């Protein structure tokens, strides 16, 4: 789960990581009041959307007067911001962070994430922080330093200091930076983050170290024990269908293709997407209905797939283990009737109660193409939508 910059900064602040003073607004009328509250000659007006690259896209504006703060707020609020992370459709700016301008001496990059190659939490830092970090990673990877963290010992202070030396943190602020690194690690672990990124982490002319931007991602599976983080969830920023699916306990991720997939089990769902692509099709979604899905769950899954106008065909690929094929079959028949099925439907069922499931499908008056194998099903659905 992703959260906004202002929320991430609130959390970092609770871990004693310095952040600029800031005010959040959602209405233009509040801009002036916010400007007075932060008591700074220079203020920065920042678009709050769940995507990075805002600076380069015009979503971060430096204002030198109250009038400018108002003007920039007016310009940004309600606008659709397209950055290299939003996709071409962009994201509507509904919230602004107005914060104290900061006297930047140098911008650094600092992050913690899980390195799947070493299976270790890893701290990453660079002296080339700021809006071009992707380019640094591509063109001068030697400027990016990593510390692999031992899960038993945790981040050791000497590792944090070594990173500071490697990225040339000025010696008089090394101890402050080490504290920030240690606290960031604490936050990462305690809040079950999958990413904590401060870009830029800046050293100011006044010799202060401050987190000027913050991006935090959380493991959704742990939200049950991080209720405070769940409060930060902004449904406006999420895909409508994904939100609906999560309410029904379905794992659904919407994609750009036109073949809707309904599958049980994440592994089979991935394999199904692969085989569709192998035959030249493009999956419209990843959907795992889970191991013990009920008829109702299947119906809901079907409705979510069909609510996507781009879907030109559906491939149901179920292996009945705990999940019984007859349950799936009656779910499909029920849903197809309710939603007035308008696209070709290919079904491959295998496993527990498979003959019962096939009987249900055959005796219904819905136009269903059955397939004996996953391979045949994928081939058929790709052909049918052509
Ligand atoms: P993004 O990463 O989405 O582009 P950032 O918050 O990192 O957005 O802002 C982009 C750049 O704007 C920063 O690298 C920094 O140079 C500048 N900036 C951001 N916030 C401030 C601030 N409070 N004071 C001064 N400069 C800022
Ligand atoms: Mg940034």
């Amino acid at each position: 789960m992703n959260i906004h910059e202002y929320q991430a900064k609130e959390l970092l602040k609770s871990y004693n990581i310095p952040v600029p003073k800031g005010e959040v607004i959602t209405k233009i009328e509040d801009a002036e009041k916010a400007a007075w509250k932060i008591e700074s000659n220079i203020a920065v007006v920042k678009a709050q959307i769940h995507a990075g690259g805002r600076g380069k896209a015009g979503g971060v504006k430096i204002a030198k007067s109250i009038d400018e703060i108002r003007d920039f707020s007016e310009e940004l609020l309600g606008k659709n911001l397209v950055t290299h992370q939003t996709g071409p459709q962009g994201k509507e700016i509904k919230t602004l962070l107005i914060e104290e301008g900061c006297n930047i001496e140098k911008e650094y990059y600092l992050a913690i994430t899980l390195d799947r190659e070493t299976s270790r939490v890893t701290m990453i830092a660079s002296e080339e922080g700021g809006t071009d970090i992707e380019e640094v990673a591509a063109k001068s990877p030697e400027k990016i330093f990593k510390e692999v963290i031992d899960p038993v010992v945790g981040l050791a202070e000497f590792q944090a200091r070594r990173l500071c030396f490697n990225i040339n943190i000025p010696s008089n602020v090394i101890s402050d930076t080490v504290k920030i690194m240690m606290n960031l690690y604490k936050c990462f672990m305690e809040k079950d983050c999958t990413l904590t990124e401060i870009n830029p982490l800046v050293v100011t002319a006044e010799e202060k170290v401050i987190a000027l931007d913050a991006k935090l991602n959380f493991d959704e599976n742990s939200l049950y024990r991080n209720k405070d983080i769940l409060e930060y969830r902004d449904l406006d920023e999420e895909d409508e269908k994904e939100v609906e699916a999560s309410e029904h306990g379905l794992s659904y991720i919407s994609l750009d293709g036109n073949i809707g997939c309904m599958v049980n089990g994440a592994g089979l769902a991935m394999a199904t997407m692969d085989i569709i692509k192998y035959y030249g099709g493009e999956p419209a979604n990843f959907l795992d209905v889970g191991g013990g899905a009920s008829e109702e769950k299947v119906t809901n899954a079907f409705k979510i797939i069909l609510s996507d106008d781009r879907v030109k065909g559906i491939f149901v690929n179920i292996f009945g283990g705990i999940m019984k094929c007859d349950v799936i079959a009656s779910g499909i028949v029920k849903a197809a009737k309710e939603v007035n099925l308008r696209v070709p439907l290919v079904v491959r069922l295998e496993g527990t109660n498979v003959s019962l499931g096939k009987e249900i499908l055959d005796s219904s008056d819905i136009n269903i193409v059955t397939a004996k194998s996953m391979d045949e099903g994928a081939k058929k659905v790709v052909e049918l939508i052509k």
Side-chain angles (χ1 to χ4, degrees), residues 5 9 20 44 46 51-56 60 62 99-104 107 130-131 199-200 212-214:
E5 174 195 4
K9 281 178 165 165
V44 184
K46 308 180 81 174
R54 298 162 303 160
K56 284 194 164 167
V60 176
I62 298 185
E99 73 176 11
E100 176 183 12
C102 153
N103 211 346
I104 304 172
E107 304 193 332
T131 52
N199 184 33
L212 222 50
D213 187 12

Side-chain angles (χ1 to χ4, degrees), residues 72-229:
F72 287 141
S73 302
E74 198 153 6
E75 187 189 323
L76 290 176
L77 265 182
K79 183 186 158 182
N80 202 45
L81 190 66
V82 181
T83 83
H84 67 89
Q85 288 185 7
T86 57
Q89 74 286 359
K91 282 202 154 158
E92 191 191 335
I93 306 169
K94 294 185 175 158
T95 309
L96 293 177
L97 170 63
I98 298 179
E99 73 176 11
E100 176 183 12
C102 153
N103 211 346
I104 304 172
E105 192 72 35
K106 188 160 171 54
E107 304 193 332
Y108 301 85
Y109 178 90
L110 178 65
I112 306 177
T113 190
L114 179 71
D115 178 357
R116 292 180 193 275
E117 254 168 53
T118 55
S119 309
R120 289 279 189 273
V121 172
T122 302
M123 183 170 262
I124 306 165
S126 175
E127 65 180 308
E128 302 283 335
T131 52
D132 282 320
I133 191 67
E134 285 90 351
E135 207 177 310
V136 177
K139 291 193 179 145
S140 29
E142 74 283 357
K143 290 205 166 140
I144 293 175
F145 292 88
K146 293 180 187 167
E147 287 290 337
V148 176
I149 301 169
D150 185 294
V152 178
V153 180
L155 177 69
E157 276 203 25
F158 78 86
Q159 292 184 294
R161 257 194 313 276
R162 184 158 63 194
L163 271 180
C164 288
F165 290 131
N166 280 335
I167 67 169
N168 296 314
I169 296 283
S171 55
N172 53 340
V173 291
I174 284 186
S175 80
D176 288 347
T177 311
V178 166
K179 273 184 209 137
I180 290 176
M181 290 171 166
M182 301 304 289
N183 289 335
L184 191 64
Y185 176 69
K186 193 163 180 244
C187 172
F188 183 95
M189 296 308 288
E190 286 182 358
K191 299 297 177 192
D192 297 303
C193 295
T194 52
L195 172 75
T196 54
E197 183 189 70
I198 302 178
N199 184 33
L201 176 76
V202 300
V203 174
T204 68
E206 298 80 24
E207 302 189 333
K208 294 236 156 52
V209 190
I210 300 175
L212 222 50
D213 187 12
K215 184 179 169 68
L216 266 52
N217 276 332
F218 302 88
D219 182 347
E220 269 139 55
N221 294 316
S222 73
L223 288 173
Y224 74 95
R225 62 179 184 193
N226 292 313
K227 296 274 175 343
D228 53 335
I229 303 298

Side-chain angles (χ1 to χ4, degrees), residues 315-367:
F315 182 24
V316 176
N317 185 16
I318 299 286
F319 187 84
I322 302 168
M323 165 81 104
K324 294 184 184 64
C325 293
D326 56 320
V327 173
I328 286 279
S330 24
I332 295 170
V333 171
K334 193 167 161 224
K337 278 185 186 148
E338 271 180 42
V339 297
N340 174 29
L341 186 69
R342 53 179 161 71
V343 296
L345 170 64
V346 177
V347 179
R348 177 256 179 165
L349 291 178
E350 198 52 80
T352 313
N353 293 359
V354 65
S355 37
L356 207 55
K358 281 188 178 141
E359 250 169 56
I360 294 171
L361 293 181
D362 291 344
S363 60
S364 79
D365 46 8
I366 300 155
N367 192 4

